[in-house]
Amino acid sequence: MSDTLSFSQSIKSSAFVPRKSLGQNFLVDQRMIARMVRACEFSRSDTVLEIGPGQGALTFIILPQVQQIIAVETDARLAEQLILTQPPDKLKVIHKDFLKYDFSDLTPPLKLVGNLPYYISTPIMLRFLEQRKIFTDFHFTVQLEFGKRLVASPGTKDYSSLTCFVNYFTEPTLLFHIPNSAFRPAPKIKSCFMRLKVRPQPLVRVNDEPFFLNLVRLSFLQRRKMLINTLSSLNTRTQLTTAFEKASIPLNARAEELTVEQFGSLANQLTKLHSAGNKSESDTCLLMDG
Ligand code: SAM
C-alpha cells in the first residue's frame, strides 16, 4: 500500500459506497461535529494526527483552528478524495492502516483525534498507550460500551485490565453520548465521545513498570477468583500474604475490586521480595503470560 496517491486515481464522491468492514459510519450531524471539535480545545499551534478522516467531516472543521493535520486513512478512495481537496502543506493525507503507521517521523507534541472504526478500537487504544509520550491527549468517538469500560470503577462489571492501563497512563473522561442519527449509515450500537489526557507521570509510582503491567494483566485473567490464589504461582503463600498485608489489601480481595493504586502497591511489594533474592521461577511465566 503506498502512502500517497496520484490525482489520476480520483473517484467521484457521489459514487462512494461505504464499507461496513472498515467501520465507515460517517458523521453527518453538523451540530454534533461542532460540539465534538469544541470539546477538543484546539489552538493555532496544534499539530493533529487524525485516525480515519473519511470524507473529512471532522478534518475540515478542525483545519482552520490548528497548524497542521496529518490524517491517516486506509481506504484509498477516501484518502485520494482528501488529497484532491486541500493543499498538502496544511493537510497531509497518509494512505495507510493506522495500526501499521510508523510514528517515528512525527514531531511531538501531537493531539490525536478520530471518529474511530469501532472494529479496531482496542488495538488503536493499545497503540496510543504505547506511544503516549508523543501525544498530549486523544479525543475519539467509540462504542458506548467500550467508553464505559475506560472510566469504570473497581467492583463493576465494566472494570478490566484495560481500565487500569488507561487510568494508569491517562485521565479518561466520557464527554457525551452521540445519537445514532448523527452518523450515516446509522450504526446499530450506541456511541460516545471520549477524552484521554496523557498524565505527565503515571497515576502510581511503581518500581518495575513491565512487572506492574503484567501483574494487572495476569490478575484479570481470573477476575472473580481470590487474587491471592490467582497469583499462587508467583511466590509462596506466606510471601504473598506478607505482600498483601504490607500493601493493605484484604487477603480475600478479587482482581476486579482493586484500584490501580492497590495494584501498584502490590506490585512494589512483590518486586521487593524478588529483588531480596526470593524470586520464584514462575515470574518468568508471568511476563510471558502478558
Ligand atoms: N472521520 C470520518 C467521519 O467522522 O465521518 C470517518 C469516520 S469512519 C467511522 C472511520 C474511518 O476510518 C473510515 O474512513 C475508514 O475508512 C477509516 N479506517 C478504517 N480502518 C482504518 C485503519 N486501520 N486505519 C486508518 N483508517 C481506517
Side-chain angles (χ1 to χ4, degrees):
M1 189 185 289
S2 68
D3 285 8
T4 49
L5 294 159
S6 75
F7 281 28
S8 62
Q9 292 168 294
S10 160
I11 52 145
K12 292 235 163 20
S13 63
S14 55
F16 189 82
V17 179
R19 281 204 190 125
K20 208 173 165 186
S21 63
L22 291 178
Q24 290 179 345
N25 298 96
F26 299 106
L27 281 163
V28 290
D29 180 334
Q30 294 307 317
R31 285 178 61 183
M32 183 51 70
I33 293 169
R35 188 175 177 199
M36 289 162 63
V37 173
R38 254 195 325 275
C40 298
E41 298 177 346
F42 291 116
S43 70
R44 292 253 172 228
S45 57
D46 284 334
T47 301
V48 175
L49 182 64
E50 184 180 2
I51 305 166
Q55 294 172 319
L58 289 168
T59 323
F60 293 123
I61 304 299
I62 298 171
L63 208 55
Q65 302 183 24
V66 301
Q67 191 170 27
Q68 193 189 34
I69 300 183
I70 300 158
V72 183
E73 172 58 61
T74 200
D75 187 328
R77 304 168 301 165
L78 293 169
E80 183 187 334
Q81 268 182 0
L82 282 180
I83 287 168
L84 288 170
T85 53
Q86 201 67 24
D89 53 335
K90 183 117 187 182
L91 173 62
K92 190 172 166 202
V93 180
I94 313 273
H95 173 220
K96 191 118 193 156
D97 176 348
F98 180 77
L99 298 176
K100 296 185 183 146
Y101 178 58
D102 178 5
F103 294 113
S104 59
D105 288 341
L106 300 174
T107 310
L110 296 146
K111 286 169 89 85
L112 185 63
V113 296
N115 168 17
L116 297 190
Y118 293 175
Y119 74 107
I120 46 169
S121 298
T122 301
I124 287 176
M125 195 56 50
L126 295 175
R127 189 100 214 273
F128 162 70
L129 292 177
E130 265 168 34
Q131 299 288 333
R132 67 195 172 276
K133 288 188 178 149
I134 63 169
F135 298 111
T136 53
D137 48 49
F138 182 18
H139 289 84
F140 54 99
T141 62
V142 76
Q143 184 174 356
L144 181 60
E145 298 309 315
F146 187 90
K148 283 184 178 170
R149 280 175 60 202
L150 305 186
V151 293
S153 303
T156 63
K157 72 171 173 40
D158 289 330
Y159 192 64
S160 66
S161 52
L162 186 63
T163 319
C164 294
F165 300 149
V166 164
N167 281 270
Y168 175 69
F169 290 119
T170 78
E171 279 177 62
T173 311
L174 197 160
L175 294 166
F176 45 83
H177 293 202
I178 307 176
N180 294 7
S181 59
F183 303 89
R184 192 168 300 143
K188 292 201 173 70
I189 47 177
K190 292 183 181 161
S191 302
C192 64
F193 195 55
M194 302 273 314
R195 172 190 299 137
L196 302 184
K197 199 168 175 335
V198 178
R199 295 180 189 276
Q201 298 299 329
L203 179 59
V204 278
R205 230 186 135 112
V206 294
N207 302 332
D208 181 342
E209 192 165 89
F211 178 82
F212 162 75
L213 297 174
N214 280 297
L215 177 72
V216 172
R217 197 172 290 136
L218 177 72
S219 301
F220 276 95
L221 292 178
Q222 293 173 297
R223 51 180 294 138
R224 294 205 173 81
K225 199 169 157 181
M226 270 171 56
L227 183 57
I228 202 161
N229 293 337
T230 308
L231 303 182
S232 62
S233 61
L234 294 183
N235 291 89
T236 65
R237 185 73 174 196
T238 313
Q239 288 170 330
L240 284 173
T241 302
T242 307
F244 271 63
E245 284 172 352
K246 285 194 172 167
S248 306
I249 296 169
L251 296 178
N252 62 356
R254 297 176 291 177
E256 62 183 5
E257 296 166 343
L258 260 62
T259 62
V260 177
E261 289 86 344
Q262 286 176 310
F263 274 117
S265 306
L266 183 60
N268 285 344
Q269 292 303 330
L270 292 172
T271 47
K272 263 189 217 162
L273 280 177
H274 296 164
S275 57
N278 292 323
K279 196 169 172 129
S280 72
E281 281 175 20
S282 52
D283 69 351
T284 319
C285 301
L286 167 75
L287 296 172
M288 284 177 358
D289 271 337

